[in-house]
Amino acid sequence: MTDTRPLLFFDSGVGGLSVLAATQKLLPNAPIVYAADSAGYPYGTKSEAEIAARVPALLGRLVERYRPRLVVIACNTASTIALAHVRSALDLPVVGTVPAIKPAALLSKSRAIGVLGTDATIRQPYVDRLAAEFAGDCLVLRHGSAELVDLAEAKLRGEATDPAAYARILEGLTDQPGGERIDTVVLACTHFRLVEPELSAAWPIAYVDGAEGIARRIAFLTDKQEWPTAPGPGVAVFTGTDSGIDTLRPALARFGLTEIARL
Ligand code: DGL
């Protein structure tokens, strides 16, 4: 019998689609459930306590409903705060998304790295540890932007966004002392990869994120497992009742997510 258990992706919104895209390149037939906590969006302006309570509870319900083979927390904010709680609460493999400081440090020639994330992510001790362990000889400057998360959501809803906004957000890095030396920026929020072309247009330097690494990790953890022989319709499940979800349908369909559900 074919193993039809899905991979369950989780984010506050559409950001995790950047991780899903990388995964679909390696595992094109993987059944997908993409969960967006639209009722809890955005995460980046929430407290650690709120995220730590909300994410494991929601994932518990999602796992019960969809019985996935593996869970991907496709959100840096949720992962840097709640990954350990989720792992201890769930009895299946859980892959997290944490800022790609290690690959950025390997790439940077100027030894100055920018970390662009949500406000909640950039203040996490998890990020301090990654910077100390992998970029100890680099200047690591951080900037949090809730506006950039909203811009990515707007882009996926087909709305036009203002190019000047991206340049202004990047100044949050370059205006810091030493910021002019930055040659590599970590996109430490999964939403930001979705607006990488706009960021590159505003400031053409190297942007790094963890999507491909996560995809390889998922492929490794599911090695030897069976997959359907063709891709089936993916499910996008939302926690909110927001009617605006309809405006996302075309973008979701590009990732094979043609069934919409509510939690
Ligand atoms: N996409 C998420 C992240 O990676 C969270 C964005 C938000 O809800 O603020 O951090």
Side-chain angles (χ1 to χ4, degrees), residues 153 177 254:
E153 290 277 332
R254 291 200 290 276

Short mmCIF file of all heavy atoms in Angstrom, two decimals, residues 153 177 254:
data_model
loop_
_atom_site.label_atom_id
_atom_site.label_comp_id
_atom_site.label_asym_id
_atom_site.label_seq_id
_atom_site.Cartn_x
_atom_site.Cartn_y
_atom_site.Cartn_z
N GLU A 153 3.41 39.07 2.38
CA GLU A 153 2.01 38.61 2.32
C GLU A 153 1.27 39.34 1.20
O GLU A 153 0.54 38.72 0.42
CB GLU A 153 1.29 38.87 3.66
CG GLU A 153 1.76 38.00 4.81
CD GLU A 153 1.11 36.61 4.87
OE1 GLU A 153 -0.03 36.44 4.40
OE2 GLU A 153 1.78 35.68 5.40
N PRO A 177 26.39 51.09 13.01
CA PRO A 177 27.84 51.20 12.89
C PRO A 177 28.44 49.92 12.30
O PRO A 177 28.14 48.82 12.78
CB PRO A 177 28.31 51.40 14.34
CG PRO A 177 27.11 51.94 15.05
CD PRO A 177 25.90 51.36 14.37
N ARG A 254 0.13 27.72 -7.17
CA ARG A 254 1.47 27.57 -7.77
C ARG A 254 2.32 26.55 -6.99
O ARG A 254 3.31 26.04 -7.50
CB ARG A 254 2.19 28.93 -7.81
CG ARG A 254 1.58 29.92 -8.80
CD ARG A 254 2.55 31.02 -9.19
NE ARG A 254 2.83 31.96 -8.11
CZ ARG A 254 2.08 33.01 -7.81
NH1 ARG A 254 0.99 33.26 -8.49
NH2 ARG A 254 2.41 33.83 -6.82
#
